[in-house]
Amino acid sequence: MKKSFEIQIGEDFKPAPQFRKLYYAYLVIAFCFLFLPWYFSLLGLGSLLITGIIVYSIFILPILVFVVYWIRKYYNTIFYKLTDTEIVWRRGVWFKNTGIVPYNRITNIDIGQGPISRRLRIAALKIQTAGYTGKAGAEIKLNGIEQFEELREVIMKFVRGKKPLAVETYEEDTNLKILNELRKIRKLLEKSQQK
C-alpha cells in the first residue's frame, strides 16, 4: 500500500532512506567489478598469495570504510524545500552546496530511474530551467524521491501558476520609439561630423 504524499510547503524534507541503500548497492557493484578481480589475480601468484592479499587488504579496507562512512554523512546533509516561489536544496559533507530554483524559470521536470532505484521504488527528479547555460542537462536533481510522480505534480502546479521570467515582450510602440531615438542620434552624429 502506498503512503500518502506529505510535503509541507516551507519545511525541509529529505530523500527516502532507500537512497542510502542505492549508494551502498553502487559501492558493492564497484567493489565486485573493480577490486575483486585483483584478489582473484593474486590467487595465481602462489607463494606471494598471502603477502599480496594482506597488502591489498591494507590498501582497500580503509577505502571501503571511508566510503561507507561518507555515504551515511552525505545522506544526512541532503535537504530539499519547496516554498511558494522556489525550490531550495542543500547538500555536501565537506563542500557545502546550496541552490535555489525559482518556479518561473522551470521548463521541464524529467524522472530518472535506473534498475536498482526502480527496485528500491525511488527516482530522481531532473529539473531543467530556461536560460541556464552553466552545464548540459538538468540544473538540479532531487535524488532519492519515493513518491516522485506526486512531487513532480506538486512542483508543476507551482510552475503553471507563475508567469515565465525568461520571456520578454515589447510593445510595438516601444520599438518604434527606440528606432526614432536612434534616428535622431544618427542625425546629430552626422551633423557633428560635417562641421
Side-chain angles (χ1 to χ4, degrees):
M1 187 170 146
K2 206 171 193 181
K3 294 191 299 187
S4 64
F5 183 69
E6 294 182 30
I7 289 183
Q8 301 296 322
I9 303 301
E11 292 184 17
D12 289 344
F13 65 97
K14 294 186 69 51
Q18 300 94 296
F19 186 57
R20 275 189 303 199
K21 292 179 184 176
L22 177 67
Y23 271 47
Y24 290 133
Y26 290 158
L27 177 62
V28 168
I29 290 169
F31 181 77
C32 289
F33 285 102
L34 298 176
F35 301 116
L36 283 184
W38 287 96
Y39 273 116
F40 291 127
S41 67
L42 290 174
L43 290 174
L45 294 178
S47 63
L48 296 175
L49 173 68
I50 302 282
T51 307
I53 289 177
I54 290 172
V55 169
Y56 193 64
S57 297
I58 289 172
F59 175 71
I60 295 302
L61 284 177
I63 293 173
L64 288 175
V65 170
F66 172 78
V67 172
V68 168
Y69 169 79
W70 180 86
I71 290 171
R72 185 177 54 83
K73 293 294 276 183
Y74 181 69
Y75 175 80
N76 289 334
T77 66
I78 302 172
F79 291 97
Y80 308 123
K81 179 169 46 174
L82 302 181
T83 70
D84 291 330
T85 58
E86 61 202 10
I87 301 170
V88 180
W89 59 269
R90 296 186 319 266
R91 65 177 70 120
V93 178
W94 292 284
F95 300 98
K96 306 289 184 184
N97 294 300
T98 301
I100 297 172
V101 177
Y103 296 126
N104 60 1
R105 301 285 295 181
I106 295 174
T107 58
N108 191 31
I109 301 175
D110 294 328
I111 294 176
Q113 192 178 40
I116 300 171
S117 58
R118 191 175 317 117
R119 184 125 174 106
L120 294 171
R121 293 184 172 87
I122 59 174
L125 294 181
K126 301 174 183 180
I127 299 173
Q128 299 170 357
T129 61
Y132 186 76
T133 59
K135 60 183 174 182
E139 181 172 347
I140 67 164
K141 285 172 45 172
L142 303 181
N143 290 310
I145 304 300
E146 193 169 23
Q147 293 156 329
F148 46 90
E149 292 284 351
E150 292 87 347
L151 181 58
R152 179 171 65 173
E153 190 54 41
V154 166
I155 294 170
M156 288 309 293
K157 282 181 184 176
F158 279 111
V159 170
R160 289 181 196 111
K162 306 292 181 194
K163 183 178 178 183
L165 185 65
V167 177
E168 296 180 8
T169 58
Y170 296 101
E171 293 182 19
E172 198 169 311
D173 285 344
T174 305
N175 289 336
L176 191 56
K177 287 179 184 177
I178 293 171
L179 184 60
N180 287 334
E181 287 295 319
L182 288 173
R183 286 180 180 153
K184 289 178 185 177
I185 293 170
R186 181 178 174 196
K187 286 180 184 179
L188 287 173
L189 287 172
E190 287 174 351
K191 283 183 184 180
S192 68
Q193 286 180 351
Q194 289 176 354
K195 292 183 183 181

